[in-house]
Amino acid sequence: MGERAEDKAKAQAFLRRFQRTLENLLPLPGEMESCIQRTTAEAKDNYAQRHLRKPEAAFLNGSVVPALSKLVCQVLPSDRARKALLNEFHPCMSSVSCGSPASTQKHPFTKMLSVKPETIYERWSADPKKALVQSWPDFALRKPFPHKIVFEGKYFSGGSLANARRVLVSDIYQAFFYRGLPFVEETKKGRAAWDYDYACLVAYDASRDGTLKQAWEGLPRVVQGSFWSGANIYVMILGGQGRSTK
């Protein structure tokens, strides 16, 4: 096994370990919605908890990012672990992260899927200020951690299987989009570089029928595996109460 293949295998092993950690840590799907609702309600009028006010943010910042930080601290000393972790809500979580993962370089592309070409052209040509956008992933790992991974987090609260399939495609595409952006150097003021080898979708299916999990499990295994083997995208679908569609 070559050096790159060995590094990729180690990155996959780490992400699998992260997934198992979350599966053991998070509430059961039937309890998740009430936990998220309670968290967002408590954070509503608390400025210090503004990073927990929306369901997706409550899921990521309340559970996922702290769990990731603990795993990184098993690899690196706490000060270096903090330096390795970037988080969109860094100001509220400065004890575990050192800055924002947002790209400092704007570009004319968005992470949204299924936008009509004519609509994109209109945006590009109408106003230069609106044509260029900045990429804001949810969180990321960088050096000194051994693996450079950008994360996209999602919280799926419900919908039909047809809707869940659309959501799954869109969510995976967004992770793919972030992974595909080119290298951008760190700024002189210390803003983080955009430099990732892998992307990971972390999605929780809190729907009553587990339709997002069904959508994922309904894909052939060779397709599931190809996201990692062919595109360096690790798809992590947590929760879910529905049965597989296979």
Side-chain angles (χ1 to χ4, degrees):
M1 182 183 290
E3 183 177 352
R4 288 188 177 181
E6 184 178 356
D7 288 344
K8 184 171 180 175
K10 289 180 179 179
Q12 184 182 39
F14 171 78
L15 289 168
R16 284 175 172 168
R17 183 183 175 196
F18 183 33
Q19 181 169 356
R20 291 193 298 270
T21 297
L22 291 174
E23 288 170 343
N24 293 328
L25 171 70
L26 295 170
L28 296 174
E31 303 169 358
M32 189 64 165
E33 275 284 79
S34 59
C35 291
I36 291 294
Q37 291 174 5
R38 183 168 59 252
T39 299
T40 55
E42 292 173 351
K44 183 178 179 180
D45 298 317
N46 187 335
Y47 184 75
Q49 294 185 338
R50 59 192 183 279
H51 60 303
L52 303 173
R53 288 178 179 173
K54 295 183 178 181
E56 186 173 287
F59 163 59
L60 295 176
N61 297 315
S63 299
V64 177
V65 173
L68 180 60
S69 174
K70 289 181 180 179
L71 280 183
V72 175
C73 284
Q74 294 177 14
V75 179
L76 300 170
S78 58
D79 57 332
R80 288 170 60 80
R82 178 181 173 275
K83 184 178 180 180
L85 182 54
L86 303 170
N87 182 22
E88 182 181 9
F89 285 87
H90 160 70
C92 300
M93 304 182 70
S94 58
S95 63
V96 299
S97 62
C98 70
S100 168
S103 175
T104 58
Q105 184 67 49
K106 292 186 176 183
H107 51 75
F109 302 100
T110 72
K111 66 178 184 178
M112 303 308 295
L113 189 61
S114 300
V115 179
K116 294 181 179 179
E118 54 268 31
T119 302
I120 296 174
Y121 186 85
E122 289 174 2
R123 181 175 60 81
W124 284 355
S125 60
D127 184 347
K129 292 182 179 180
K130 295 181 179 179
L132 303 182
V133 298
Q134 188 175 8
S135 293
W136 287 78
D138 293 301
F139 52 102
L141 286 173
R142 63 172 185 172
K143 295 295 184 181
F145 192 71
H147 314 299
K148 296 179 289 185
I149 310 169
V150 60
F151 292 83
E152 179 72 354
K154 298 293 183 181
Y155 183 79
F156 182 77
S157 58
S160 66
L161 181 57
N163 179 63
R165 287 169 173 167
R166 290 192 292 269
V167 169
L168 179 67
V169 171
S170 177
D171 291 350
I172 294 175
Y173 172 80
Q174 289 177 34
F176 175 76
F177 172 81
Y178 284 141
R179 167 63 186 86
L181 290 175
F183 172 78
V184 177
E185 291 185 354
E186 182 175 336
T187 69
K188 293 180 179 179
K189 294 184 178 180
R191 291 287 301 278
W194 189 278
D195 182 21
Y196 303 108
D197 296 321
Y198 312 103
C200 177
L201 169 65
V202 181
Y204 191 94
D205 181 2
S207 65
R208 183 183 62 184
D209 298 319
T211 49
L212 187 66
K213 193 73 168 286
Q214 288 186 56
W216 171 246
E217 293 180 347
L219 294 175
R221 294 198 180 280
V222 65
V223 175
Q224 291 179 348
S226 71
F227 290 111
W228 179 256
S229 63
N232 286 10
I233 311 298
Y234 188 96
V235 179
M236 188 187 304
I237 309 297
L238 305 162
Q241 302 178 90
R243 293 176 298 177
S244 171
T245 56
K246 291 182 181 177

